[in-house]
Amino acid sequence: MFFRAQNLGPIRDAEIDLSKDLVVLAGPNNSGKTYIAWSVYGLHRSRPALNVVLDRWVRQLLESPEHAIDLGDLFAQGEGALLESIATEYKSKLHLCFAAESTYFSAVNVSLRDVDLLKRSGPIAHISGLAATLGISALRTHGPGSTRIGWTILVDDHFKTFFNAMKEGAPTPAELQAATTSALTTLATEHRKSLEGDLSSGLQSLVYSVLFPHCTIFPAERIAVNIFAKELALKRTELVDELVDADLDDQSSAPLELVRRKAGRYPWPIRDSLKTANDLANLSKEKGPFAALADELESAVLGGEIAVSEAGEMLFSLRGETDRRLQMHLTASVVKSLSSLVFYFRYLARRGDFIIVDEPELNLHPDNQRKLTRILAKAVGLGFKVMISTHSDFVLRELNHLIMLSKLPEGEAQALGYDPRFALDPKRLGVYLFNEQHAYPVPVEETGFSIKTIDDVVSQLNADEQRLYARLSD
């Protein structure tokens, strides 16, 4: 899918292909890279209502004999309306993503086009009777990546009867259809209205899960987030206390005015990062399926281990010194920069997630920039989508190495010191140069790609070195 933004901050026009597995944003400072990264995050986070667009498909779920729809048909026939509705609604919320006044974004235009998934047949979505105390109608999908996406509680005797029958054995698809049709035939009007609303919400969730995978962003402000999250949470708590104690007859202390003066306004990427940082104890109860990436990041880059205390505080210990754990403000800058990414991979990451990392090179020595680039490439190979915004020649050159790696036999890659799992398919990369108020697509060849603004600086640096060396040699 292509995301296009016009008149967004310093950007006059930029279109990014979000279907790529790895998207690289490069270019000078103040050229709009963060604007695009945050806007893409907001697009995935914001889920406007699509009820009007989906009404027809909800009716088909309820009224067709099979109580089913092909999601490929839904996307193919509704592409224009779906994408236009999403883009229009998101534009109206864009200022919230940036915590800015709406007038600042009044000239912005956002559009979406060409969803690759629309060209392929989708899985089947259907409703069917399922077991529950009062009976449940569920919207489910069957096909690649199938997932249950919504539940609706129905007080209906047909479902009670069907629930009892299910105890005797698994129903066939025909029995499911028959039971659902029977239940819908006598469903009270108020229950049918409720069901229509819930099915619309469930179908909307499915549409969004197909178009916009779960997205996590690591903004350039992540070091401050990791250090000051608790203090900022305390400030918010104190504000709530002050609101509770406010004299509502005193207009100078009216609640809304207090919020405006004292709460502070945070863009969605920072607000969501703060929310995660203040819920570490709850989120770290069970390791996820990609904890090995966290282990590799700790071993290769940090040289130690990240842990979470019972109080929900992130701690760090050097390798072999787990009895001496440092609070985050006492750690090296590399730990502050990457601790949230370690936590994400260990506890929160799920296959198919979309990860946005603003300036992955932040506070990293060149060798660690290369190591982190390899780990992010491995995440791409494991099924993640990744977007990075970078100024680092070390990151970009390592990406080129990993692109060339994809053309080498496995044995040769290992002989050169590379894990073949780091390899990047050049066809699955989208690279963009932000310059002069536009984002220009950069060709990606089998040997990699070139970012002119960075290459020009490197060439000038080498030329200056040669001139200075020649003068000293005279």
Side-chain angles (χ1 to χ4, degrees):
M1 177 177 63
F2 289 86
F3 169 77
R4 185 179 185 184
Q6 296 169 296
N7 304 315
L8 176 63
I11 299 171
R12 298 284 70 80
D13 197 357
E15 187 173 63
I16 308 297
D17 185 355
L18 298 180
S19 71
K20 300 296 187 181
D21 294 335
L22 174 60
V23 177
V24 180
L25 313 180
N29 294 117
N30 197 31
S31 57
K33 300 184 299 297
T34 296
Y35 269 92
I36 289 295
W38 283 21
S39 297
V40 169
Y41 174 73
L43 177 65
H44 286 72
R45 182 187 189 275
S46 173
R47 298 193 167 196
L50 299 172
N51 302 66
V52 174
V53 180
L54 297 176
D55 280 350
R56 166 193 168 191
W57 303 95
V58 170
R59 290 195 301 271
Q60 183 172 330
L61 280 168
L62 291 170
E63 297 171 5
S64 66
E66 299 82 9
H67 304 296
I69 60 172
D70 187 311
L71 297 179
D73 290 343
L74 185 157
F75 287 135
Q77 297 177 35
E79 173 182 1
L82 280 172
L83 298 184
E84 182 180 357
S85 178
I86 292 170
T88 299
E89 288 294 320
Y90 179 50
K91 177 187 173 182
S92 70
K93 295 182 178 181
L94 188 58
H95 68 287
L96 299 177
C97 178
F98 288 84
E101 300 297 330
S102 60
T103 54
Y104 185 77
F105 291 87
S106 59
V108 174
N109 182 54
V110 173
S111 58
L112 302 169
R113 71 175 179 87
D114 189 23
V115 179
D116 288 343
L117 290 173
L118 309 189
K119 301 172 183 176
R120 300 196 296 267
S121 177
I124 299 296
H126 70 95
I127 54 175
S128 59
L130 294 176
T133 303
L134 298 176
I136 291 178
S137 176
L139 176 62
R140 304 191 300 169
T141 63
H142 286 278
S146 296
T147 178
R148 183 176 298 152
I149 63 163
W151 301 93
T152 302
I153 303 296
L154 294 175
V155 182
D156 186 88
D157 288 338
H158 285 279
F159 279 98
K160 292 180 184 178
T161 302
F162 184 59
F163 171 49
N164 293 330
M166 283 184 67
K167 294 178 181 178
E168 305 301 324
T172 66
E175 290 172 334
L176 285 171
Q177 292 176 14
T180 303
T181 299
S182 177
L184 291 171
T185 301
T186 58
L187 194 62
T189 301
E190 62 271 22
H191 291 154
R192 186 180 180 90
K193 288 292 184 183
S194 175
L195 175 60
E196 289 174 352
D198 287 338
L199 287 177
S200 181
S201 297
L203 191 55
Q204 175 175 292
S205 296
L206 177 57
V207 169
Y208 275 114
S209 71
V210 173
L211 298 181
F212 305 113
H214 179 265
C215 186
T216 299
I217 189 169
F218 301 90
E221 296 80 1
R222 56 188 176 272
I223 289 180
V225 168
N226 290 332
I227 296 176
F228 299 115
K230 298 299 181 185
E231 287 80 358
L232 293 172
L234 178 60
K235 179 182 177 182
R236 293 288 174 121
T237 301
E238 292 172 346
L239 173 61
V240 171
D241 291 340
E242 191 169 348
L243 287 171
V244 171
D245 295 337
D247 182 356
L248 299 187
D249 291 330
D250 180 2
Q251 292 302 308
S252 65
S253 63
L256 183 57
E257 180 62 24
L258 280 175
V259 171
R260 286 174 174 168
R261 284 191 290 111
K262 297 189 175 184
R265 302 175 70 181
Y266 299 113
W268 284 350
I270 297 175
R271 183 194 304 180
D272 294 345
S273 298
L274 285 168
K275 183 179 179 181
T276 298
N278 280 302
D279 197 24
L280 298 180
N282 182 54
L283 296 173
S284 60
K285 292 179 179 178
E286 184 178 353
K287 290 184 179 180
F290 295 98
L293 284 175
D295 297 339
E296 186 171 352
L297 192 52
E298 288 175 327
S299 175
V301 182
L302 300 187
E305 298 178 1
I306 297 291
V308 178
S309 70
E310 293 183 359
E313 183 180 16
M314 196 160 326
L315 305 172
F316 175 74
S317 58
L318 290 169
R319 188 180 293 114
E321 298 184 12
T322 54
D323 58 333
R324 181 172 175 266
R325 296 189 170 182
L326 302 175
Q327 294 177 310
M328 195 52 53
H329 70 280
L330 298 174
T331 64
S333 57
V334 63
V335 178
K336 297 184 184 78
S337 180
L338 295 181
S339 57
S340 54
L341 186 60
V342 170
F343 184 88
Y344 165 78
F345 278 133
R346 178 161 290 141
Y347 298 109
L348 306 180
R350 297 294 182 269
R351 189 178 304 277
D353 279 3
F354 184 17
I355 311 168
I356 301 176
V357 186
D358 198 357
E359 299 187 23
E361 68 271 15
L362 196 63
N363 293 110
L364 269 62
H365 190 271
D367 65 331
N368 282 332
Q369 293 183 39
R370 296 184 66 189
K371 293 173 184 176
L372 176 59
T373 303
R374 296 181 187 188
I375 292 172
L376 291 175
K378 180 182 282 189
V380 170
L382 291 172
F384 292 84
K385 286 184 175 292
V386 177
M387 172 184 283
I388 64 171
S389 170
T390 183
H391 299 282
S392 171
D393 186 47
F394 298 102
V395 169
L396 298 175
R397 291 175 67 181
E398 190 65 20
L399 288 175
N400 283 339
H401 295 170
L402 303 181
I403 291 170
M404 289 187 280
L405 193 67
S406 68
K407 302 303 177 183
L408 294 178
E410 185 172 315
E412 289 188 30
Q414 292 173 332
L416 293 172
Y418 279 93
D419 186 331
R421 292 174 295 178
F422 295 151
L424 292 170
D425 182 351
K427 296 179 181 178
R428 302 306 305 152
L429 265 70
V431 181
Y432 298 87
L433 170 60
F434 284 69
N435 200 21
E436 299 177 346
Q437 301 183 321
H438 289 75
Y440 300 98
V442 176
V444 182
E445 310 293 344
E446 291 187 356
T447 54
F449 57 90
S450 174
I451 300 298
K452 185 178 186 303
T453 57
I454 292 180
D455 290 347
D456 288 348
V457 173
V458 173
S459 297
Q460 185 62 51
L461 190 65
N462 291 334
D464 289 347
E465 179 184 35
Q466 291 299 319
R467 285 197 299 270
L468 289 167
Y469 181 79
R471 182 63 57 90
L472 289 174
S473 300
D474 288 344

